[in-house]
Amino acid sequence: MKKTNAIMTSAVLLCLLTGCKDASADLNDKDTVLFKVGETTVTKGTVYDMLMNSAASDTIMNSVQKKIAAKEIEITDDIKKDAQETLDMYVEYYGDSFTSYLEQLGMTTEDYLNESLIPSIQVEQLSEKYVNENFASLAETYKPVKAILIDFTEQADADAALEELKNGSDPADVASTHNSSSSGTAMVYTTESSSVDSLVRTTMLNGMTADDGWTMIPASDGSSFSIVKIEETDPEKFHDDAVSTLRTLADVSTASTRYWLEKYSFHVYDITAYNAIKNEHPEYLIQDGSPETEETEETAETTEPTE
């Protein structure tokens, strides 16, 4: 498996980074036999074709992001520590089944650490780096605030909880005592916090401050009640928490990936690879222009000229 992954990765990078004859990549040694099962012979070409037809898009994007992350994110002691802790957890939790699994892949735990865990952490930190480099504009767009939010389904519970909170009771204890499943801990909320009722979210992010103290806000349909306390509205004062939240937003994740692909002039030449990405992740084909540009061009083409 490790060998077949290497075949796929090297071929993918070849067709992405160089012009390919007839817009199609191929292996020079595609007839090389990897193994036989009975009368069936599996060659490098067999594996390549199978992977290109079934997992090309994800394989390409994973490989490209790892290559970019290797250039942008230094492997620090903290990254090594995090990767080692994850590996230790897998070994402790899965035991011999984990090491047996790695053996089936032709990997050692050291291989897995260096070729999978550390690169994965580097890829995660790509989005963090993007958010840090664009923090001001992203904060303006998504309006992060740090707040405690406790939800209640019954107004009687909410009323009792509000009184206790205003008297200084611990939010986690109040939530538990009055039938709320909320944790009672401070979290970062943004315009994309879909788990929060729209009216509650709008009220939180537009005008509420720490000076408001504990405030009850009914849901837009009146079916539930939220008690909110804003802890901080200046994202710079909870910068790390804000970055951790912003990097997980779908639109930010997509923007981050496009940012790095554009920086490294990502271009797909192979037609099979191109079609696979076009089908699964068209937003990452930067050679086709941005979605906004495409939409504008399509609109211009279909709009009748005015007299």
Side-chain angles (χ1 to χ4, degrees):
M1 179 63 72
K2 185 178 180 182
K3 183 182 291 185
T4 57
N5 283 341
I7 293 168
M8 181 63 175
T9 299
S10 59
V12 161
L13 292 176
L14 175 66
C15 72
L16 295 180
L17 302 177
T18 65
C20 297
K21 182 180 180 181
D22 299 326
S24 180
D26 204 353
L27 298 176
N28 293 328
D29 55 349
K30 65 180 180 180
D31 294 326
T32 300
V33 176
L34 295 176
F35 59 87
K36 294 182 178 181
V37 180
E39 298 298 319
T40 302
T41 298
V42 177
T43 66
K44 285 187 176 182
T46 305
V47 174
Y48 175 72
D49 290 341
M50 178 186 68
L51 291 174
M52 281 295 286
N53 290 324
S54 64
S57 179
D58 288 339
T59 302
I60 291 167
M61 296 312 304
N62 288 338
S63 297
V64 170
Q65 289 186 81
K66 285 182 179 180
K67 289 293 182 181
I68 293 174
K71 293 179 175 293
E72 290 287 336
I73 307 297
E74 178 186 359
I75 300 177
T76 63
D77 289 340
D78 285 341
I79 288 179
K80 292 178 182 178
K81 179 181 177 182
D82 288 346
Q84 185 63 54
E85 288 176 350
T86 300
L87 178 61
D88 292 343
M89 179 187 69
Y90 287 165
V91 171
E92 180 179 359
Y93 187 80
Y94 294 107
D96 292 340
S97 62
F98 177 69
T99 53
S100 296
Y101 170 72
L102 292 182
E103 289 174 0
Q104 292 174 21
L105 298 179
M107 300 181 74
T108 65
T109 54
E110 192 69 18
D111 292 332
Y112 187 68
L113 180 76
N114 293 319
E115 298 174 23
S116 180
L117 294 179
I118 287 178
S120 294
I121 295 173
Q122 288 177 288
V123 170
E124 288 180 4
Q125 292 196 5
L126 267 182
S127 58
E128 291 183 11
K129 185 173 183 178
Y130 168 78
V131 172
N132 274 308
E133 291 183 358
N134 298 273
F135 188 76
S137 61
L138 291 172
E140 182 176 356
T141 299
Y142 297 102
K143 304 182 186 304
V145 300
K146 194 166 191 177
I148 301 174
L149 187 153
I150 309 175
D151 290 322
F152 300 90
T153 56
E154 300 294 334
Q155 184 165 3
D157 285 326
D159 288 337
L162 180 59
E163 183 176 354
E164 292 180 19
L165 290 167
K166 286 185 173 181
N167 288 329
S169 296
D170 179 75
D173 291 341
V174 171
S176 177
T177 301
H178 294 287
N179 305 308
S180 173
S181 60
S182 302
S183 67
T185 58
M187 298 175 61
V188 176
Y189 296 93
T190 72
T191 56
E192 301 301 300
S193 296
S194 58
S195 62
V196 181
D197 175 80
S198 59
L199 177 60
V200 176
R201 184 174 64 245
T202 300
T203 304
M204 286 175 58
L205 303 181
N206 293 276
M208 285 192 68
T209 69
D211 292 337
D212 294 322
W214 291 103
T215 303
M216 185 188 300
I217 308 171
S220 53
D221 61 0
S223 64
S224 62
F225 305 85
S226 297
I227 297 178
V228 178
K229 181 182 181 182
I230 302 294
E231 291 203 339
E232 185 56 66
T233 57
D234 182 357
E236 288 292 353
K237 294 184 178 179
F238 54 96
H239 183 276
D240 290 348
D241 289 339
V243 169
S244 295
T245 297
L246 290 170
R247 66 171 291 274
T248 65
L249 301 183
D251 287 348
V252 174
S253 178
T254 298
S256 171
T257 302
R258 283 187 60 87
Y259 173 83
W260 296 115
L261 294 177
E262 288 170 357
K263 178 174 180 178
Y264 286 92
S265 302
F266 176 67
H267 192 105
V268 183
Y269 294 94
D270 179 81
I271 189 61
T272 303
Y274 175 91
N275 287 335
I277 299 176
K278 185 74 172 179
N279 183 54
E280 299 288 335
H281 301 289
E283 67 274 19
Y284 297 146
L285 287 171
I286 61 170
Q287 66 207 68
D288 290 347
S290 68
E292 293 80 5
T293 300
E294 292 174 359
E295 183 177 346
T296 300
E297 291 175 350
E298 290 174 2
T299 302
E301 291 173 1
T302 56
T303 301
E304 293 291 336
T306 58
E307 294 293 337

